[in-house]
Amino acid sequence: MKFNDKYGYVPGEDIAGKLQNFTGNLDVIACPEVFRQCFSFMDLTTLHGNDTEASVRKLVDKVTTLVRERPGYPLPASICVYPNFASVVREHRCSEELHVTTVAGCFPSSQSFTDVKVVECEMAVQNGADEVDIVLSLGDFLSGNEEKAFGEICAIRKAVDLAGIQEGRKIILKVILETGLLVSPELIAEASLLAMEAGADFIKTSTGKVDVNATPAAAYVMCQCIGLFAGKTGRKVGFKAAGGISDAMDALGYYSIVSGLLGSEWLDKKLFRFGVSRLGNSLMSAIEQANVNFF
């Protein structure tokens, strides 16, 4: 049985029309308080080939400066880096509330052996990660081998849980669906439900490394599926929008989709994230009603 059938996902909705209900009049909710909420949902991200310990430390220090110089701001949810930089974030962050997120599992393509992916995820936790973002094995999923894609997430889930126990902390696992490479709402839904049943704490739109990344339509389907999954299992899975989100009003659109489909309970960093490298300045500008170039 397909996961869509198991959880009762019904295709064929007028997604564009439904989205208009959520995003057609964002000015109504655009205010500093909501923009501050969005700021607290950010996984501040640097995933460049030329990242260094110094450049990662600089980003971490920016957050420390923010806390010291702008005490009215919430902390971002986390700083997201490659696994080899997890210890840099962990050693220099200003608060344990600022989580260490790493991508792992042969990000961004996920094209390698499952054993290699598992070991990298374990090493990410050992190196300091509180949260691990992996990519669904699209090669298996799109070729119809859902069982293998499912089993791989389960294996990584088990590995990071055991590594987390050894390190004395609970690890959050996010599964990136790479929705820009899934050509229909039905495929996005199937991937969403597969990842959640395999143990994902969050499902995430994109790596930011393909031509089409986060879109409101993909977010709509993913949030629908989160609601279906919660209704059937009682387990609340988070949603993370990532890839190309650089404008405060774009963030507000995703905020409205999450709020409209899942309710206010999901408007918390425990269940809602943005993966961003540029959004911070736009949100700060919206909060302060002035051009801010902080990050």
Side-chain angles (χ1 to χ4, degrees):
M1 177 187 288
K2 290 287 188 179
F3 290 95
N4 284 355
D5 296 331
K6 179 176 179 178
Y7 287 94
Y9 174 76
V10 179
E13 270 197 292
D14 176 18
I15 293 175
K18 293 293 180 65
L19 280 173
Q20 186 63 24
N21 294 332
F22 297 127
T23 62
N25 193 14
L26 295 176
D27 289 339
V28 172
I29 60 170
C31 65
E33 181 182 354
V34 172
F35 289 127
R36 279 193 183 88
Q37 272 190 290
C38 290
F39 192 91
S40 74
F41 303 155
M42 292 192 306
D43 290 345
L44 280 174
T45 301
T46 180
L47 297 172
H48 304 296
N50 61 348
D51 283 341
T52 63
E53 286 193 12
S55 66
V56 171
R57 172 73 187 273
K58 184 177 180 180
L59 180 59
V60 178
D61 288 346
K62 280 280 189 182
V63 177
T64 302
T65 300
L66 176 81
V67 171
R68 184 175 63 247
E69 296 183 354
R70 288 176 161 91
Y73 276 87
L75 274 173
S78 81
I79 292 179
C80 179
V81 294
Y82 283 115
N84 48 311
F85 296 119
S87 61
V88 177
V89 181
R90 192 165 198 87
E91 289 167 12
H92 297 289
R93 62 184 175 173
C94 59
S95 168
E96 291 185 2
E97 292 183 17
L98 179 68
H99 279 193
V100 182
T101 296
T102 71
V103 294
C106 300
F107 175 95
S109 70
S110 193
Q111 293 284 18
S112 190
F113 304 102
T114 296
D115 288 349
V116 173
K117 299 178 191 180
V118 168
V119 169
E120 187 182 28
C121 291
E122 289 175 329
M123 291 179 70
V125 174
Q126 292 161 359
N127 200 39
D130 301 301
E131 308 185 6
V132 177
D133 291 17
I134 64 170
V135 183
L136 172 70
S137 180
L138 284 172
D140 293 314
F141 179 78
L142 291 173
S143 63
N145 196 349
E146 290 192 11
E147 184 176 351
K148 186 177 178 185
F150 179 87
E152 182 170 282
I153 297 171
C154 291
I156 292 171
R157 171 82 269 176
K158 181 179 179 180
V160 299
D161 283 347
L162 289 173
I165 290 169
Q166 291 172 352
E167 298 294 323
R169 58 184 183 273
K170 170 66 176 171
I171 306 303
I172 293 170
L173 180 66
K174 308 191 198 86
V175 177
I176 305 164
L177 307 182
E178 203 68 288
T179 54
L181 300 181
L182 302 177
V183 296
S184 69
E186 290 76 20
L187 278 176
I188 293 172
E190 184 73 8
S192 298
L193 293 163
L194 179 154
M196 289 188 283
E197 185 155 309
D201 295 306
F202 277 76
I203 52 174
K204 174 178 170 182
T205 55
S206 320
T207 62
K209 306 295 186 182
V210 296
D211 290 339
V212 178
N213 291 290
T215 65
Y220 181 90
V221 174
M222 291 168 68
C223 289
Q224 270 190 309
C225 291
I226 288 170
L228 289 171
F229 186 81
K232 202 168 189 70
T233 68
R235 187 165 76 86
K236 297 178 177 66
V237 173
F239 168 73
K240 179 173 175 178
I245 304 168
S246 59
D247 182 80
M249 293 305 289
D250 288 340
L252 206 59
Y254 291 103
Y255 178 100
S256 182
I257 293 167
V258 170
S259 176
L261 284 175
L262 297 171
S264 60
E265 191 174 353
W266 262 262
L267 299 178
D268 185 282
K269 66 181 179 181
K270 293 179 181 178
L271 290 168
F272 185 18
R273 299 288 181 85
F274 294 109
V276 302
S277 58
R278 296 171 292 165
L279 178 63
N281 286 333
S282 183
L283 286 173
M284 291 180 74
S285 297
I287 291 165
E288 299 185 21
Q289 294 296 293
N291 186 37
V292 177
N293 189 24
F294 183 84
F295 290 104

